[in-house]
Amino acid sequence: MRSVTQPEPTHDEAGAHESVFWRRAAQWGARGPEWWLKVAPPVFGWAAAAVIPSARHAVQQNLRRVRGPASPVRDARDVLATFSAFASCMTEVLSNEAPGGPKKPRALVVGERWVRQVVAAKKGMVLVTAHTGGWDAVGPLLGKTYGLDLVLVTHAEPDMEAGEIQDAARRRAGVEVARVGDPLSSLPLLRHLQKGGVVALQLDRIVPGMRTLPAQVLGENGELPAGPFHLAQLSGAPIVPIFCARRGHREYLVEVFEPRTISRRASEAERQEVVDHVAASMTRFLRAHPTQWFQFGGG
């Protein structure tokens, strides 16, 4: 079975785009005036596309999965748009560490009623998303708007120092970060859900040894991490697909898909129906926003 998600890159595979050098450079650039934060990141993103061929190739391959084959001109345009969006999103997150403090982003939330419905039920929320434009910026906004006690679960980065730079900016914006291998191995996450909290997990990267479930993503046989679905089943918290796209400077689109609940006694077929719903939601969003999917580690 071929996975349409990406394996977490090793230190050697990670490339310069994940190195502490590039994060520190972005952190330094994020301390500039607001006009600089608007115009500079795309230039640095294009430069990264030029000097990191492995990442450029991975992005091109993922674009073809999402939207199908295209002309060389469109491929080049979409690759540059992806790197530009990534650089802008990273800069806007790292600007939380600037002397003026975090800047509040603007977000258009489509499907807001689903969030309000889950919050009103007070059963917690397993929020599933992907490495798309703006989650680090929009997460704190959602938390403050809806009163969510949100923990972002992510895996250790190849360069721990680089990861800590971004985590510090996330924490300053109001997002707690938990770096774990398998979400099921972390009892604090389950307790957080049982207290009505929100655990946010990303669906589109698989680390070695991670348990997975089969899924149709982007029209291909693939797999999704099993952890979010098991957490939802054990806690009774609804699982809610939420994806983000960057629309402009500090401006985002957030699309919320219908929540699903997995009962403790759900059959394998009932659980698979929820997995299929989540996979279809991710597919729909990625196809609508192909240049917002930030996958640099494999092709």
Side-chain angles (χ1 to χ4, degrees):
M1 177 180 294
R2 180 186 178 197
S3 171
V4 296
T5 56
Q6 296 294 327
E8 196 74 13
T10 66
H11 181 78
D12 291 337
E13 293 170 333
H17 72 281
E18 286 191 342
S19 73
V20 68
F21 169 80
W22 285 96
R23 291 288 171 86
R24 288 209 177 281
Q27 186 181 42
W28 175 82
R31 294 176 178 270
E34 200 68 6
W35 67 265
W36 169 262
L37 302 185
K38 291 182 181 180
V39 302
V43 177
F44 287 104
W46 300 335
V51 301
I52 313 173
S54 61
R56 185 175 67 247
H57 176 71
V59 169
Q60 185 179 63
Q61 292 298 103
N62 283 314
L63 284 166
R64 290 172 178 171
R65 291 180 191 172
V66 175
R67 49 132 172 90
S71 68
V73 172
R74 184 176 178 187
D75 270 351
R77 184 188 67 192
D78 286 354
V79 166
L80 291 177
T82 303
F83 276 88
S84 172
F86 175 73
S88 294
C89 288
M90 178 180 287
T91 300
E92 288 168 10
V93 171
L94 294 178
S95 71
N96 291 332
E97 292 292 282
K103 300 286 195 305
K104 184 177 179 180
R106 300 176 299 277
L108 170 65
V109 182
V110 178
E112 180 184 22
R113 69 187 186 280
W114 299 125
V115 178
R116 296 195 180 278
Q117 173 184 300
V118 171
V119 171
K122 298 182 179 179
K123 293 183 178 180
M125 181 194 306
V126 177
L127 190 163
V128 288
T129 187
H131 291 81
T132 59
W135 169 248
D136 282 340
V138 175
L141 178 64
L142 291 176
K144 292 173 183 176
T145 301
Y146 302 106
L148 308 179
D149 185 2
L150 189 148
V151 174
L152 174 63
V153 179
T154 186
H155 300 282
E157 292 202 29
D159 191 315
M160 293 180 64
E161 188 177 354
E164 180 54 33
I165 291 172
Q166 194 146 346
D167 286 352
R170 288 163 167 164
R171 286 192 289 268
R172 187 168 185 187
V175 171
E176 182 181 347
V177 179
R179 290 193 177 272
V180 299
D182 186 339
L184 286 179
S185 67
S186 179
L187 286 176
L189 296 180
L190 184 58
R191 288 196 291 266
H192 186 69
L193 288 168
Q194 291 169 337
K195 291 178 181 178
V198 179
V199 173
L201 306 104
Q202 290 165 317
L203 296 165
D204 55 335
R205 288 185 189 169
I206 305 294
V207 300
M210 177 183 285
R211 285 169 281 186
T212 61
L213 294 170
Q216 279 276 320
V217 183
L218 300 171
E220 301 178 17
N221 291 329
E223 53 194 356
L224 295 180
F229 302 96
H230 289 309
L231 276 177
Q233 186 167 12
L234 289 171
S235 66
I239 188 165
V240 188
I242 300 181
F243 303 98
C244 307
R246 186 177 185 273
R247 305 171 70 201
H249 183 62
R250 299 193 192 280
E251 186 173 344
Y252 299 91
L253 167 71
V254 181
E255 188 164 2
V256 185
F257 292 84
E258 183 178 357
R260 295 293 173 89
T261 301
I262 309 173
S263 71
R264 278 183 172 269
R265 297 184 179 182
S267 66
E268 185 175 335
E270 289 170 333
R271 185 181 65 186
Q272 188 62 46
E273 190 278 330
V274 177
V275 175
D276 293 342
H277 166 68
V278 169
S281 300
M282 184 166 74
T283 293
R284 174 178 157 184
F285 186 86
L286 292 178
R287 283 185 168 156
H289 307 280
T291 63
Q292 295 287 312
W293 195 22
F294 304 149
Q295 288 285 20
F296 303 99

